[in-house]
Amino acid sequence: MLKKEQLYEGKAKKVYRTDNPDLYWIEYKDDATAFNGLKKGTIANKGELNNLISAYFFRLLAENGIESHFVEEKSEREMVVKSLQIIPVEVVVRNIAAGSLAKRLGLEEGTVMSRTVVENYYKSDELGDPLINSDHIRALNLATPEQMADIRAIALKVNEILRAHLAERELDLIDFKLEFGLHNGQLLLGDEISPDTCRFWDKNTKEKLDKDRFRRDLGNVEEAYKEVYRRLTGR
Ligand code: 5GP
């Protein structure tokens, strides 16, 4: 397979065409942004770590019956994926209150939710990804009710698989964001699953091992991403 011209450059990844119209070539970048692009920086080796961690999680999910766009790794910071028409809804799953949920509902960070919370956000940089509900999704024609029902079920299954796997590695899965898309009409999990898009806390010390270290200037950002990789792979 050949890497062809760049189609798109996002905040954390570049997307290239390949000689196969069904496949895209993704390159993960070290660039980091937060607060809708207001805070910018780089995290050394983030591209590699997020590529390897995402590939690890997509494989784990595939072994557990969840299909994603992931096809194969091409290098330390590159993977090939199935081309997706992205559904512009970001799906956030929350086990423990943190971030915008803690702020919005006045909950202390770390409060265990009595049940898992699934939220939908409209994927729009201009609007800053506003929280939306199923009526908004229907009114704006972002996805069908059947697609959203499937997406919710998959997101909850992903939560159970990741939560159990991480717990064995002394990590709490606080929350995470997923994106979905259509590949030749088939609904697939897309984007990435990494410390950029999830919150991971050490089970015992509650130390944050994710992008909040960058967002909140906590230091040791690269070390935190490496620690997640080490706990997953032993490397
Ligand atoms: P919050 O809404 O608390 O800011 O984020 C909830 C979870 O979803 C966190 O794990 C966060 O990393 C992830 N998340 C939500 N929106 C985005 C986004 O636009 N970009 C990234 N990288 N992660 C997001």
Side-chain angles (χ1 to χ4, degrees):
M1 188 190 317
L2 295 172
K3 185 178 182 180
K4 298 276 196 176
E5 77 273 11
Q6 186 177 306
L7 287 174
Y8 168 79
E9 177 163 2
K11 286 177 277 193
K13 297 187 276 301
K14 292 179 184 173
V15 181
Y16 297 84
R17 206 168 64 74
T18 69
D19 51 343
N20 180 340
D22 278 336
L23 301 176
Y24 289 159
W25 192 297
I26 308 278
E27 194 179 299
Y28 284 71
K29 308 195 293 181
D30 289 344
D31 297 348
T33 62
F35 313 118
N36 202 26
L38 285 178
K39 182 180 169 100
K40 288 192 175 79
T42 56
I43 300 169
N45 300 309
K46 176 171 86 81
E48 280 181 31
L49 289 159
N50 281 356
N51 181 49
L52 297 172
I53 292 169
S54 292
Y56 179 95
F57 282 135
F58 284 136
R59 279 208 181 89
L60 173 72
L61 292 173
E63 285 161 14
N64 286 277
I66 306 251
E67 294 183 88
S68 76
H69 68 160
F70 175 72
V71 177
E72 60 178 344
E73 285 146 293
K74 279 292 173 191
S75 75
E76 297 278 284
R77 60 172 69 230
E78 294 169 297
M79 64 168 62
V80 166
V81 300
K82 293 182 181 172
S83 57
L84 290 186
Q85 238 180 300
I86 288 287
I87 294 173
V89 176
E90 296 189 351
V91 181
V92 170
V93 180
R94 303 181 182 269
N95 299 305
I96 293 177
S100 72
L101 177 81
K103 207 167 168 187
R104 187 180 316 112
L105 300 187
L107 296 171
E108 195 182 333
E109 271 212 331
T111 307
V112 178
M113 305 305 289
S114 63
R115 52 174 288 158
T116 305
V117 172
V118 181
E119 298 171 338
N120 298 311
Y121 293 84
Y122 182 22
K123 186 173 160 62
S124 162
D125 284 341
E126 282 148 60
L127 301 174
D129 298 347
L131 182 67
I132 50 175
N133 67 24
S134 52
D135 279 339
H136 298 123
I137 292 171
R138 287 185 78 160
L140 296 180
N141 249 320
L142 305 181
T144 66
E146 293 75 23
Q147 285 168 343
M148 288 312 299
D150 288 348
I151 284 173
R152 179 184 167 88
I154 297 168
L156 288 170
K157 201 168 163 202
V158 168
N159 186 43
E160 290 317 312
I161 296 163
L162 296 189
R163 192 152 63 147
H165 193 81
L166 290 160
E168 289 169 7
R169 287 150 183 84
E170 302 290 308
L171 289 171
D172 280 335
L173 178 61
I174 307 305
D175 56 32
F176 58 95
K177 183 255 305 179
L178 299 177
E179 295 186 22
F180 293 83
L182 297 174
H183 177 74
N184 297 330
Q186 186 191 11
L187 182 71
L188 291 178
L189 178 59
D191 196 44
E192 65 180 279
I193 305 178
S194 72
D196 266 15
T197 61
C198 306
R199 287 192 172 97
F200 304 120
W201 292 0
D202 180 273
K203 201 171 242 343
N204 304 303
T205 65
K206 306 298 174 196
E207 186 189 3
K208 294 178 182 10
L209 296 170
D210 54 58
K211 196 174 170 187
D212 273 348
R213 300 205 73 83
F214 169 78
R215 295 186 186 105
R216 303 180 190 187
D217 294 321
L218 300 175
N220 296 331
V221 189
E222 181 192 356
E223 290 72 14
Y225 283 54
K226 277 192 176 149
E227 178 62 14
V228 171
Y229 183 65
R230 193 188 66 74
R231 298 236 191 147
L232 291 172
T233 65
R235 274 173 267 153

